Amino acid sequence: MDVFSHALWGGVVAGRKSKKYFWWAFGLGLFPDAASFGILMLARILGIASGPDFSNGHPDMSQIPVFVSSLYNFTHSFISFGLVFLLVWWLLKKPFWPLLAWGFHIFLDIPSHSYQFFPTPFLWPVSDFMINGINWGENIVFIPNVLFLILLYAVWGVSWWKKSKI
């Protein structure tokens, strides 16, 4: 799934309680990709690191720094997510529901990433099992994703508007 869609899904799935929760969920929907590829892109912008050229599609994996794969494994694992969710729950003495946007990010990535480029290691570090999904850039995935997001935000917007009129 593309990064922007993850943020939007996070907001609508886990951030409807309040504006504050929405922005937390929006950011946490971005988190798994921002904490891996986002760091690489920032390092490239700052001139700290060189990186792969994405202009012609997926680069060769040997061009991607090892730290990106390590962070990707951590941030795209239900095991990591679950442990962090439980830790935050323990620290706050209540669940922090916007964190579910992170878990939903992983859920969406499982069927929308193929073996060709960064399949989702959702059971890392317990297992290397991954699913060969359909790339999120394919129209069969991308178009329904956009349509469902438009529909959900329209429904949410209408319900919010009706509530504000009362």
Side-chain angles (χ1 to χ4, degrees), residues 3-142:
V3 175
F4 190 64
S5 290
H6 278 305
L8 290 171
W9 277 110
V12 77
V13 166
R16 293 187 316 267
K17 182 177 178 181
S18 67
K19 284 183 184 179
K20 182 174 135 181
Y21 267 41
F22 174 82
W23 289 112
W24 269 106
F26 188 92
L28 287 163
L30 288 170
F31 169 72
D33 291 336
S36 51
F37 281 100
I39 291 173
L40 174 62
M41 296 305 153
L42 181 61
R44 287 181 66 191
I45 290 168
L46 296 174
I48 298 169
S50 61
D53 178 14
F54 286 93
S55 63
N56 294 320
H58 300 306
D60 186 83
M61 290 297 290
S62 65
Q63 296 178 331
I64 297 173
V66 174
F67 80 87
V68 173
S69 294
S70 298
L71 290 171
Y72 188 88
N73 287 344
F74 177 81
T75 61
H76 286 76
S77 166
F78 280 133
I79 309 297
S80 304
F81 159 72
L83 291 172
V84 170
F85 187 85
L86 291 173
L87 176 65
V88 170
W89 189 339
W90 180 74
L91 290 171
L92 298 178
K93 308 290 189 247
K94 63 180 183 174
F96 185 61
W97 297 117
L99 264 171
L100 293 178
W102 175 6
F104 199 68
H105 178 122
I106 299 165
F107 175 77
L108 288 173
D109 270 358
I110 293 169
S112 65
H113 282 242
S114 70
Y115 289 156
Q116 292 176 326
F117 192 72
F118 279 89
T120 307
F122 63 97
L123 297 174
W124 180 90
V126 175
S127 172
D128 290 333
F129 177 75
M130 293 179 237
I131 292 173
N132 188 21
I134 301 170
N135 184 295
W136 60 264
E138 297 289 328
N139 285 339
I140 195 168
V141 177
F142 188 77

